[in-house]
Amino acid sequence: MPDLLHDPVLGLGLAAFALLLLVLPLAFWALSGGGTSSVVRLLVASANLCLTAQLVLRWIDSGHFPISNLYESLCFLAWGCTLTQLLVERSWPSPLVPAAATPMALGCVAFASFALPDRLQEASPLVPALRSSWLVMHVSVIMLSYAALLVGSLLSLAVLFTDRGKALELRSSSIGSGGFRQAQLATEGPGAMAAPLRLTSGSLSMAEQLDSLSYRTITVGFLLLSVGLVSGAVWANEAWGSWWSWDPKETWALICWLVYAAYLHTRLIRGWQGRRPAIVASLGLVVIVVCYIGVNLLGIGLHSYGWFFES
């Protein structure tokens, strides 16, 4: 590994790895205690700042948006995952959020720092097709969509393991506060028919919170993915003269879009909530891993950074 004293980019990546590695046990410790931890949020924010500084330094050193190789791409994805995690925690400060989402960012940084060869960690010049103003627009939006979809899918996966011994029946809307359920409870009892209908404030269960947060996070990720696919098609037409070439990365990105479109269809049209759409979101998690990591490591297609089959 290159000398960290002469390469602050790699040093910042390792600092982010150390912070996220510390977050993981603390998050599960807070989860077992049933309380939130401001220390965990502070560590995640510090890791995000390290990744931000790392990407900015690489951008300054290389002179182009830091997405020229798999190392930079993984670090950008980790930055997006930690940012999404902090935004989700702002909506619901629960130790379950970092416990579910931190492993993804930690895995990205660990893979980039320790598994990739040195030649893939060094900055490299852009190929002619990537020297376009569309680079920042398309790649950044796609990577942020992956981050939001990954975090949302991990929260959906947590729904499958939350209150497994209980039947999960959500009577609130996907983004509502459970008013229907509260109104029904307000009229229960011997004098229910005579009592006026009233709404009472009530808190959502952990499974309901996870279901709502995963739905909203996946919706944002799906919208970003849609914008990323459209911008990629426009860029491909400028660079290669074709809107769509059925490149492996393009094909798997389309499959990813279809999986999450099916997820939103089950939520909005079919009215599914809870564990059934969580299974669909978990499938999307696998598809993203194949689309992003699988295609890249095999070194196939126009969008791949390559590794296994690269000479």
Side-chain angles (χ1 to χ4, degrees):
M1 181 173 292
D3 188 357
L4 299 181
L5 295 177
H6 297 88
D7 196 339
V9 171
L10 298 181
L12 287 168
L14 291 178
F17 169 79
L19 290 169
L20 292 173
L21 187 63
L22 183 59
V23 165
L24 203 56
L26 292 177
F28 280 101
W29 188 10
L31 181 61
S32 62
T36 59
S37 175
S38 57
V39 175
V40 170
R41 288 195 294 273
L42 179 61
L43 290 174
V44 174
S46 300
N48 182 266
L49 289 176
C50 286
L51 292 169
T52 302
Q54 178 195 40
L55 292 172
V56 170
L57 284 178
R58 179 58 69 94
W59 196 339
I60 294 174
D61 291 341
S62 63
H64 56 75
F65 188 67
I67 206 72
S68 63
N69 54 34
L70 189 54
Y71 175 81
E72 296 171 353
S73 178
L74 284 165
C75 291
F76 190 89
L77 181 60
W79 175 83
C81 287
T82 53
L83 178 63
T84 304
Q85 177 181 332
L86 291 171
L87 294 176
V88 171
E89 277 195 277
R90 186 176 181 181
S91 299
W92 185 45
S94 168
L96 190 56
V97 175
T102 299
M104 181 57 64
L106 178 63
C108 290
V109 177
F111 189 80
S113 300
F114 302 112
L116 292 180
D118 291 344
R119 57 186 173 81
L120 288 185
Q121 296 184 17
E122 299 172 354
S124 57
L126 292 177
V127 297
L130 296 181
R131 296 170 188 169
S132 169
S133 58
W134 284 100
L135 175 66
V136 178
M137 166 64 181
H138 170 65
V139 178
S140 62
V141 170
I142 285 289
M143 297 306 296
L144 288 176
S145 74
Y146 284 168
L149 292 173
L150 287 170
V151 172
S153 297
L154 288 170
L155 295 176
S156 289
L157 188 63
V159 172
L160 298 177
F161 296 95
T162 303
D163 298 331
R164 295 186 63 186
K166 300 179 182 178
L168 181 57
E169 182 181 358
L170 306 181
R171 301 179 190 179
S172 63
S173 66
S174 295
I175 58 175
S177 59
F180 173 78
R181 180 191 60 184
Q182 294 158 20
Q184 185 182 46
L185 292 177
T187 58
E188 289 179 353
M193 297 302 296
L197 180 65
R198 59 188 177 86
L199 295 178
T200 59
S201 60
S203 60
L204 296 177
S205 67
M206 181 176 292
E208 288 175 319
Q209 286 277 17
L210 284 172
D211 182 74
S212 176
L213 286 173
S214 63
Y215 167 75
R216 287 183 286 173
T217 307
I218 288 175
T219 300
V220 172
F222 179 79
L223 294 175
L224 290 174
L225 180 61
S226 301
V227 174
L229 289 177
V230 172
S231 63
V234 175
W235 187 13
N237 186 57
E238 286 188 3
W240 301 312
S242 174
W243 297 89
W244 192 269
S245 58
W246 295 105
D247 182 74
K249 179 61 73 70
E250 295 176 354
T251 304
W252 277 102
L254 177 61
I255 295 173
C256 179
W257 187 90
L258 291 174
V259 169
Y260 285 103
Y263 169 86
L264 294 177
H265 173 79
T266 62
R267 302 283 312 222
L268 298 173
I269 307 302
R270 304 291 296 177
W272 286 11
Q273 292 180 344
R275 294 192 177 95
R276 288 190 294 177
I279 295 175
V280 181
S282 301
L283 175 62
L285 185 65
V286 177
V287 173
I288 292 180
V289 171
V290 175
C291 175
Y292 176 65
I293 295 294
V295 175
N296 281 341
L297 294 187
L298 291 177
I300 56 178
L302 299 171
H303 293 76
S304 175
Y305 299 116
W307 183 17
F308 289 162
F309 297 149
E310 194 175 70
S311 57

